[in-house]
Amino acid sequence: MAKLTGLQIQKLLPKTNCKECGSNTCLAFAMKLAAQKAELLECPYASDDAKQILGAASEPPVKKIQIGTGKTFSLGDETVLYRHEKTFVNQTALAIHINDTDAVADIEKTLQAIKAYELDRVGELLSVDAVCITCKSGNTATFAALCKKAHEITGRPLVINSTDVAQLTAAAEAVKGSRSILASAAPETADVLVKVASDNGHALAVTAPDLDALTALTAKIKAGGFNDLILQYQTHSLSELFQTNSIARRAALKDSYKPLGYPTLHIVLESDRLDESVVAANEISKYGGVCVLPSFDPAQLVPLMSLRQNIYTDPQKPIQVEPKLYEIGEPTKDSPVFVTTNFSLTYFIVSGEIENSGLNAWLVIPECEGMSVLTAWAAGKFSGAAIAKFCKSIDLDNRVATREIVIPGYVAQISGELQECMPGWKVVVGTQEASDMESWVKVTYPQHLK
Amino acid sequence: LDAATIEALKKSILAEVRAGLTQDIVRDIIGTLSSKFLGETPAASDVETPATEAVEVKPSAAERLSKVTSFKIRKETADTPLWEVKLGATKAEGGTRTVTHKIGGASAMPFHFWEGAMPNRPLVAMEVYDLVSAKYPAVLRNIYGSLLNNPAEMAKVLVDKYGADVISVRLEGTHPEKGNRSVEDSVKLIKQVLSAVGVPLIITGHSHFDKNNEVLKAVAQACAGENLLLNWVEQDNYRTIAGAAMAYGHTLVAQSPIDVNIGKQLNILLTNMDLKKEQIVMDPMTGAIGYGIEYTYSVMERIRQTALGGDKLLCAPMIVSPGQECIKIKEYKATEKDFPLWGDLAKRAAAWELNTAINLLYAGADVMIMYNPEAAMAAKRTIRKLMAN
Ligand code: B12
Ligand code: SF4
């Protein structure tokens, strides 16, 4: 439904101006509602009609669903098709697949690995979001027990995967309250499974042979009052998966088509590790909700998690760190001084490499509007004069006794200018790539190595 | 063990071997013969059906999606499709290529077959070098070995074994600070590669304008009529190479630094020189995963959307360089021993380059220059899957 204006909303309010909502008048409150700066709940006198109408109008085009209790993540709530329009908000969740028929020792190992895995990348901790357990044994008790164990060990929500109602029910009860995903309900099993999901506090993935049957199913379930749904498309090829993801998201966003206004779940079934990662990249790039990978392999996860981090960043504003003088390790007044930009990626790479090289050092980070070294230089933010001015503003001369400053190799051309602007200092040109710093440091600053 | 168990075991082993074999054979076919199946041979450029496709009997995406009735599938198609650029020229056309390709021509966003056409599949190019830098990663050295020092031989392997659609020859060694190889050497090298392979060539230069222009111009002249893709010109350096492309019948890459406006401006400058649009491929500048890919991705989507929205000067096919960008980064070089959380180096490197390429493929890449053979083959499999609508 289209968004309502403040005046339209005011007509739905009691118009008593009793101020209990915190606004002086009902109209003022209505304006806040229209601007999404207030919630209808704040007015204790709102009628049921008002709640229903406003509820439908304010419903996001793609339902937001929170998964998990301890380690949680959200799905859906997206408003744009292309990231240059506005930031994508809830990133594709990556889950790891386990069959309940896998060897016990392997399962244990995978669960422990998932639990332990945590990678610091550009200041963000990346980890596996969920575990998908598939019932292959046909044994309800085995399946439910493994689900319980997987949740207990990893603390992660699950994707509980089976087509059998009894198996899903047992597992759903075993991890009641974990806010997992039951996967999945088909048109024949939906009635029972909606109740199971709702009784045990889980989201429900729904699936059907084609889009017509799927949309009929979600519409029916929603009409029945359950709305924590996740779409699992049945597609026969990568081409169909990609097109279905795109068509559905566009229908939800541009045509407010509610039966497709949900996040998705895709279980990757490819049998080649690179083909698998292509499907995951497809999900990350094009509207995937939860993506289940066949096995736990950091070599596959790291590029996917990094891609995901990139695609879900704010397209307008680069992630940046505060401009200031940073300490790497425990520098003394005589420790070496390096300089780079305040683009988060650059900062984290460079500070990591300096640390890695075994130095205690100072790192000067001037204000560069979050741009990389060459970008900032091309934009005039990383000139010799700009760097010198910043050094002065932080009183570098008095904070360190060192009189050598190392600049990035890619901006060797600024060394002359910087030299002129920083009397008494010697400008040293470092390596181009930060990853070559370790060996460079060994030669250049052996006396400072820890 | 009783006889029945042994029999059952035998059966299961046989079944497994068979399954494995079929997979191997299929892979082999894809690996060694993909150029023949997928490359458009000029004689029969419309031949479809790569051999492996025949195995699949599932209904196509087009068939299934056309049956949807519960809601109206929104369609957004361009009035003016992208322009097409031809790569390579056959004997009849004045060159010596046995395979030529066309890129571009789409009337919708990539692989949006429900609403528009994508008449030409994206291509996977691979690269050979006149100089292998000391920083060239061990992962690739291990794979290519001594081939690296024999560009013509390597080009042949890239085409025959890994299915490269196009070969890029990088002439980094002509850079005055990197060996300053002579113009004559470069011409000789290009001739050797031309005779080693039948696919079209990309000639990739460097950022030393004067030397680069001298080399590319000489190559363009010596290979007149071959319809090489001269890689690259930029806003501050385009005249010489554009002139050579016009004079000697080649196409060129117009590079802009992740900027829609500069990209368009450069296309205007080039067409003002009377270069035909159909001679221009845009390079939006590639960033690898973790190193600025999101900027490339979004600028490509914007270029493509602006083009499909009616901006006729942006309707160019696009070329990206996942290989070149990925080999610079630490994740392509650091071992698992040093970074246990990053996993196996060889697998990680392939996945990094592949996912960089796939992401850009969705944003509109028409040619991807790739270095890692496993990644390149997987990218090509993916293109085939996405095109099999
Ligand atoms: C993404 C990108 C952008 C993004 C900005 C991203 C950002 N937040 O900075 C956008 C699209 C906004 C952009 C804009 C522009 N860009 Co730009 N951009 C890039 C791109 C593709 C990647 C940059 C990146 O993120 N690199 C990753 C980071 C980590 O690299 P880095 O900061 O350099 O750090 C590395 C090293 O320098 C080293 N290092 C860093 N610090 C230190 C310190 C020491 C002591 C040492 C030893 C080493 C070291 O370690 C790091 C890893 O090895 C590059 C091309 C490329 N592929 O590199 C062009 C590039 C940097 N851009 C370029 C240009 C020209 C521009 C524009 C001027 C274009 C324009 N007119 O619009 C604008 C300028 C910005 C403005 N006016 O607003 C040029 C610069 C040309 C030059 N040689 O000067 C480049 C090289 C592209 C090109 N070849 O034309 N850009
Ligand atoms: S609480 Fe309700 S009735 Fe009272 S002023 Fe606010 S909107 Fe009006």
Side-chain angles (χ1 to χ4, degrees):
Chain A
M1 195 193 272
K3 273 222 175 97
L4 298 179
T5 65
L7 285 175
Q8 284 168 326
I9 296 174
Q10 190 218 5
K11 292 198 179 116
L12 299 166
L13 296 173
K15 289 187 254 188
T16 53
N17 301 338
C18 75
K19 301 185 187 173
E20 278 181 49
C21 56
S23 295
N24 276 332
T25 61
C26 293
L27 177 61
F29 183 62
M31 293 296 186
K32 278 194 193 161
L33 283 178
Q36 291 179 325
K37 294 213 166 99
E39 284 195 43
L40 188 59
L41 287 176
E42 293 162 35
C43 167
Y45 308 108
S47 66
D48 285 350
D49 270 1
K51 281 181 193 152
Q52 213 195 340
I53 296 171
L54 280 174
S58 65
E59 222 174 69
V62 181
K63 170 93 168 100
K64 177 176 177 178
I65 298 179
Q66 190 182 311
I67 302 296
T69 46
K71 274 213 163 240
T72 65
F73 58 87
S74 291
L75 300 169
D77 213 19
E78 300 296 345
T79 54
V80 293
L81 287 169
Y82 295 99
R83 66 180 288 284
H84 58 256
E85 299 168 24
K86 206 175 160 208
T87 319
F88 288 158
V89 286
N90 288 314
Q91 55 184 24
T92 308
L94 294 172
I96 302 296
H97 193 241
I98 292 175
N99 284 316
D100 69 350
T101 47
D102 293 348
V104 177
D106 291 347
I107 294 180
E108 182 76 28
K109 208 173 125 203
T110 306
L111 291 174
Q112 293 297 349
I114 292 171
K115 177 187 177 188
Y117 193 77
E118 199 167 61
L119 176 70
D120 185 347
R121 198 173 171 88
V122 198
E124 197 185 326
L125 284 179
L126 309 177
S127 63
V128 175
D129 300 297
V131 186
C132 174
I133 310 282
T134 294
C135 184
K136 246 190 151 182
S137 65
N139 184 322
T140 305
T142 312
F143 179 52
L146 177 57
C147 286
K148 193 164 189 317
K149 179 174 168 184
H151 175 61
E152 276 171 7
I153 292 184
T154 62
R156 303 302 200 279
L158 306 180
V159 176
I160 303 168
N161 186 30
S162 164
T163 51
D164 181 85
V165 172
Q167 289 163 7
L168 286 171
T169 309
E173 284 166 359
V175 294
K176 182 171 178 161
S178 64
R179 242 192 118 55
S180 291
I181 300 171
L182 280 191
S184 38
E188 315 80 67
T189 55
D191 287 343
V192 188
L193 289 174
V194 164
K195 190 163 180 321
V196 174
S198 141
D199 287 351
N200 295 288
H202 301 307
L204 182 64
V206 289
T207 190
D210 55 46
L211 277 179
D212 286 339
L214 186 64
T215 51
L217 185 58
T218 56
K220 184 178 141 207
I221 297 175
K222 186 181 176 196
F226 187 82
N227 203 24
D228 287 342
L229 299 178
I230 292 172
L231 305 170
Q232 194 181 3
Y233 305 124
Q234 288 178 28
T235 51
H236 297 305
S237 60
L238 181 63
S239 174
E240 193 187 347
L241 175 65
F242 164 74
Q243 292 187 63
T244 306
N245 277 359
S246 307
I247 287 171
R249 184 52 55 86
R250 202 197 265 176
L253 294 185
K254 293 248 179 134
D255 299 320
S256 303
Y257 185 59
K258 293 293 174 202
L260 289 173
Y262 299 99
T264 66
L265 163 69
H266 185 74
I267 300 178
V268 178
L269 294 172
E270 270 63 12
S271 59
D272 170 281
R273 76 186 147 76
L274 288 178
D275 293 348
E276 288 163 10
S277 81
V278 165
V279 181
N282 173 75
E283 295 298 294
I284 290 166
S285 308
K286 291 296 166 186
Y287 321 123
V290 179
C291 176
V292 179
L293 292 164
S295 58
F296 175 81
D297 180 358
Q300 188 181 58
L301 273 173
V302 182
L304 290 172
M305 286 173 159
S306 309
L307 173 63
R308 179 178 71 172
Q309 191 179 33
N310 293 161
I311 294 302
Y312 280 82
T313 51
D314 183 339
Q316 253 86 50
K317 199 166 161 268
I319 323 177
Q320 23 189 306
V321 295
E322 187 195 338
K324 63 175 194 188
L325 179 64
Y326 285 82
E327 297 179 3
I328 311 289
E330 289 162 0
T332 62
K333 283 213 148 199
D334 296 317
S335 298
V337 176
F338 295 80
V339 60
T340 189
T341 75
N342 75 325
F343 182 30
S344 271
L345 178 61
T346 305
Y347 166 78
F348 280 105
I349 292 175
V350 173
S351 59
E353 289 301 340
I354 297 176
E355 197 171 332
N356 206 20
S357 71
L359 282 182
N360 290 312
W362 301 99
L363 181 55
V364 179
I365 303 288
E367 169 64 84
C368 300
E369 294 176 13
M371 286 187 243
S372 77
V373 168
L374 278 175
T375 315
W377 175 77
K381 308 281 175 205
F382 201 61
S383 61
I387 295 172
K389 196 169 157 215
F390 183 81
C391 290
K392 198 155 198 166
S393 76
I394 56 168
D395 197 21
L396 186 65
D397 276 4
N398 291 316
R399 288 171 73 181
V400 302
T402 319
R403 284 297 176 265
E404 254 182 42
I405 184 165
V406 186
I407 63 170
Y410 279 116
V411 288
Q413 64 271 30
I414 68 168
S415 62
E417 187 196 355
L418 183 59
Q419 185 85 62
E420 261 173 46
C421 299
M422 290 182 74
W425 284 73
K426 181 176 166 223
V427 176
V428 179
V429 177
T431 56
Q432 294 197 326
E433 298 303 331
S435 49
D436 297 327
M437 198 124 73
E438 193 177 343
S439 37
W440 183 85
V441 161
K442 277 201 191 106
V443 179
T444 318
Y445 290 126
Q447 72 277 25
H448 290 287
L449 288 172
K450 282 178 205 164
Chain B
L1 288 180
D2 62 80
T5 320
I6 292 176
E7 202 46 45
L9 264 174
K10 258 196 201 158
K11 254 196 191 146
S12 79
I13 290 171
L14 210 77
E16 222 177 286
V17 168
R18 233 181 243 141
L21 265 183
T22 342
Q23 256 194 13
D24 278 351
I25 290 170
V26 169
R27 285 227 180 105
D28 225 47
I29 291 172
I30 297 172
T32 50
L33 299 179
S34 56
S35 61
K36 279 144 203 141
F37 285 124
L38 296 168
E40 293 173 54
T41 51
S45 58
D46 285 337
V47 185
E48 263 175 35
T49 57
T52 46
E53 218 76 308
V55 188
E56 290 194 13
V57 284
K58 295 168 191 162
S60 72
E63 217 175 298
R64 281 172 53 79
L65 291 169
S66 66
K67 287 195 186 131
V68 173
T69 56
S70 51
F71 66 103
K72 192 162 178 295
I73 296 182
R74 186 187 270 263
K75 295 185 180 173
E76 293 170 3
T77 312
D79 302 332
T80 325
L82 304 186
W83 63 69
E84 285 186 325
V85 176
K86 187 155 188 268
L87 304 182
T90 61
K91 213 169 210 161
E93 294 159 340
T96 59
R97 304 300 77 208
T98 54
V99 180
T100 62
H101 290 290
K102 257 198 239 161
I103 52 172
S107 61
M109 290 300 279
F111 311 109
H112 281 212
F113 291 108
W114 77 88
E115 58 184 355
M118 189 171 176
N120 303 302
R121 76 173 165 88
L123 304 175
V124 174
M126 295 181 80
E127 195 159 88
V128 298
Y129 323 88
D130 70 342
L131 167 89
V132 180
S133 114
K135 289 185 189 163
Y136 195 75
V139 169
L140 297 182
R141 279 184 200 275
N142 293 343
I143 297 173
Y144 295 125
S146 60
L147 277 178
L148 284 167
N149 302 319
N150 192 342
E153 187 57 31
M154 176 156 160
K156 201 165 150 30
V157 172
L158 296 180
V159 172
D160 292 344
K161 187 163 173 201
Y162 303 129
D165 294 315
V166 184
I167 291 293
S168 160
V169 187
R170 185 175 279 269
L171 300 175
E172 189 79 20
T174 62
H175 192 293
E177 284 155 29
K178 296 178 187 168
N180 206 14
R181 281 170 60 106
S182 71
V183 170
E184 295 73 36
D185 278 356
S186 301
V187 169
K188 204 170 122 204
L189 173 61
I190 301 298
K191 292 271 183 188
Q192 280 169 357
V193 178
L194 277 170
S195 49
V197 298
V199 302
L201 298 196
I202 300 172
I203 312 300
T204 303
H206 49 72
S207 53
H208 189 283
F209 293 164
D210 290 344
K211 184 64 188 280
N212 186 52
N213 292 351
E214 195 190 335
V215 172
L216 289 201
K217 189 175 165 189
V219 169
Q221 184 174 18
C223 306
E226 283 287 5
N227 197 17
L228 306 169
L229 180 58
L230 304 175
N231 184 21
W232 69 94
V233 305
E234 57 192 273
Q235 204 179 9
D236 299 329
N237 180 44
Y238 63 92
R239 286 179 182 278
T240 311
I241 296 170
M246 288 193 290
Y248 306 114
H250 304 294
T251 53
L252 59 74
V253 172
Q255 186 186 85
S256 43
I258 321 197
D259 190 309
V260 181
N261 297 326
I262 297 178
K264 180 171 170 177
Q265 177 63 22
L266 183 53
N267 288 351
I268 294 173
L269 292 171
L270 289 167
T271 45
N272 281 350
M273 278 183 72
D274 277 344
L275 192 76
K276 288 201 215 65
K277 280 185 190 164
E278 292 74 16
Q279 286 175 282
I280 304 174
V281 179
M282 283 174 81
D283 176 358
M285 287 270 343
T286 309
I289 287 179
Y291 296 82
I293 193 173
E294 69 272 34
Y295 295 95
T296 307
Y297 179 75
S298 283
V299 91
M300 288 175 76
E301 289 198 328
R302 281 176 57 211
I303 289 175
R304 196 45 56 87
Q305 287 202 302
T306 315
L308 296 172
D311 191 331
K312 296 196 173 65
L313 276 157
L314 278 173
C315 292
M318 290 189 274
I319 184 169
V320 295
S321 317
Q324 171 68 11
E325 288 310 312
C326 284
I327 63 160
K328 289 185 199 160
I329 69 173
K330 180 158 189 168
E331 288 81 350
Y332 215 97
K333 296 174 180 168
T335 60
E336 183 174 11
K337 194 167 144 275
D338 289 339
F339 290 84
L341 289 175
W342 286 4
D344 178 73
L345 170 58
K347 285 190 196 171
R348 181 202 324 138
W352 212 282
E353 188 176 323
L354 174 63
N355 288 331
T356 298
I358 297 303
N359 181 252
L360 299 180
L361 190 62
Y362 284 129
D366 295 284
V367 183
M368 309 191 289
I369 307 181
M370 302 190 63
Y371 287 6
N372 189 303
E374 252 199 300
M377 287 192 289
K380 203 157 163 180
R381 283 201 295 278
T382 306
I383 291 170
R384 186 170 51 77
K385 287 183 198 164
L386 286 167
M387 291 300 288
N389 175 46

